[in-house]
Amino acid sequence: MDEPTGAPDSTAVRTALWRAMHVQLDPPPHVFEDEIGLRLAAPDADWRRRPDMDPDTTRGFRAAMVARARFIEDLIDERADHGVTQYVILGAGLDTFAQRRPEAGSRVRVFEVDQPGPQEWKRHRLDELGYGVPDWLHLVPVDFEASEDWLKQLAAAGFEAGRPAVIVSTGVSMYLTEDAIAATLRQIAGLAPGSTLAMTFLLPVELVDAADRPGFRASMEGARASGTPFISLYRPPEMLELAREAGFADVRHVSGASLAERYFADRTDGLRPSSGEDLLLATT
């Protein structure tokens, strides 16, 4: 088999590396344990020397990544306990739920939605590393740039629109226009009753803690310089209203600060997530 040409984008790789760094650098107990993403990414041997991997200046971002990952997986477990059997990851990147939690295959079917190139690259890496793709994991290629309908592609992959699901979108909304976000919200709001969406969104700079603003602005500048600027920032009431208008029956704001309290309150090393990213939790 030829090496696929599509590779994961830099954001997906950075997230995977930060998740691994939490295990490698921060003392236990670890909020979230994931070194498989690092194995998938297979960066150069000196990856820890990258400026965006600086153990001190990026520790808040690292903590924020593992906090949201832990929240999502706690949500999946809670919804599965209530009989939800479908888990959809939009913009899956180097997500490793299926590899870290093989026992989950007895409870949920996982649908990873991503661009065709990076997804084929990931399939190749999963085969190389001996994980493969179990029958309960569905890699769903969707060419978003060509405006392919991701729900149609999901259905073709075996997703049952008449059964409730958990839909997750992390680290994506800031790159989308408000019209695109609203359209996606309407699609998800039309799914079976009892479906839940967890979506991250970035706050306007003035709502970010003062200590975190320089790093937040640096992230914005880096995104702009790489050709993928942040174009959608929301105050929590604005995001909740967008979800209500889309048709969700119940909408909740989950702040980054609440995740910090939930997962980091008893730590003695001072590790805390940086502010700037919150979550929308919406149920049909």
Side-chain angles (χ1 to χ4, degrees):
M1 179 178 176
D2 293 333
E3 180 76 28
T5 55
D9 66 34
S10 59
T11 303
V13 172
R14 187 181 302 117
T15 298
L17 300 187
W18 276 341
R19 282 158 60 146
M21 284 188 77
H22 175 55
V23 179
Q24 295 180 359
L25 290 183
D26 301 321
H30 296 122
V31 174
F32 190 81
E33 296 190 13
D34 179 14
E35 293 182 280
I36 295 176
L38 169 62
R39 294 187 67 202
L40 284 170
D44 294 338
D46 61 351
W47 67 272
R48 293 254 296 252
R49 298 190 183 94
R50 289 169 38 165
D52 61 351
M53 293 295 127
D54 183 278
D56 295 319
T57 60
T58 65
R59 73 196 307 252
F61 293 124
R62 179 169 79 240
M65 290 302 103
V66 298
R68 81 180 187 195
R70 172 67 179 274
F71 175 81
I72 295 298
E73 294 204 5
D74 284 353
L75 174 67
I76 299 304
D77 289 338
E78 186 266 330
R79 297 310 298 149
D81 287 344
H82 287 82
V84 175
T85 59
Q86 301 184 109
Y87 173 25
V88 179
I89 310 169
L90 298 179
L94 294 177
D95 189 273
T96 59
F97 176 82
Q99 291 76 51
R100 287 178 294 101
R101 302 280 304 277
E103 80 287 351
S106 65
R107 305 179 77 199
V108 295
R109 298 166 70 207
V110 180
F111 298 84
E112 294 191 12
V113 178
D114 213 337
Q115 291 280 110
Q119 196 170 73
E120 186 56 33
W121 179 94
K122 184 177 183 180
R123 184 187 293 274
H124 180 80
R125 289 293 295 143
L126 289 173
D127 286 341
E128 279 189 330
L129 293 173
Y131 291 106
V133 180
D135 58 7
W136 53 273
L137 171 62
H138 306 272
L139 302 183
V140 186
V142 177
D143 190 344
F144 293 103
E145 293 169 5
S147 300
E148 281 189 352
D149 187 333
W150 61 275
L151 276 178
K152 284 185 179 178
Q153 300 296 96
L154 261 188
F159 179 80
E160 298 178 68
R163 299 173 66 88
V166 175
I167 316 287
V168 168
S169 173
T170 58
V172 175
S173 67
M174 63 276 208
Y175 301 115
L176 305 177
T177 64
E178 181 167 319
D179 285 347
I181 294 171
T184 300
L185 289 173
R186 285 193 297 272
Q187 286 179 302
I188 297 171
L191 294 177
S195 295
T196 301
L197 166 68
M199 183 177 78
T200 61
F201 62 96
L202 293 187
L203 303 174
V205 176
E206 64 270 19
L207 294 187
V208 178
D209 292 349
D212 296 330
R213 286 178 196 167
F216 190 85
R217 288 195 173 100
S219 295
M220 294 181 71
E221 287 301 319
R224 184 179 297 114
S226 65
T228 54
F230 298 166
I231 57 179
S232 290
L233 307 176
Y234 288 93
R235 294 174 177 273
E238 294 170 341
M239 179 53 75
L240 293 179
E241 183 59 26
L242 204 59
R244 286 192 196 97
E245 290 175 354
F248 282 97
D250 179 65
V251 298
R252 286 174 46 206
H253 166 228
V254 180
S255 69
S258 71
L259 298 188
E261 285 304 311
R262 183 181 303 190
Y263 299 124
F264 294 82
D266 297 328
R267 295 190 69 89
T268 58
D269 59 352
L271 183 69
R272 298 279 287 192
S274 57
S275 59
E277 182 180 77
D278 287 2
L279 280 133
L280 164 70
L281 198 61
T283 305
T284 56

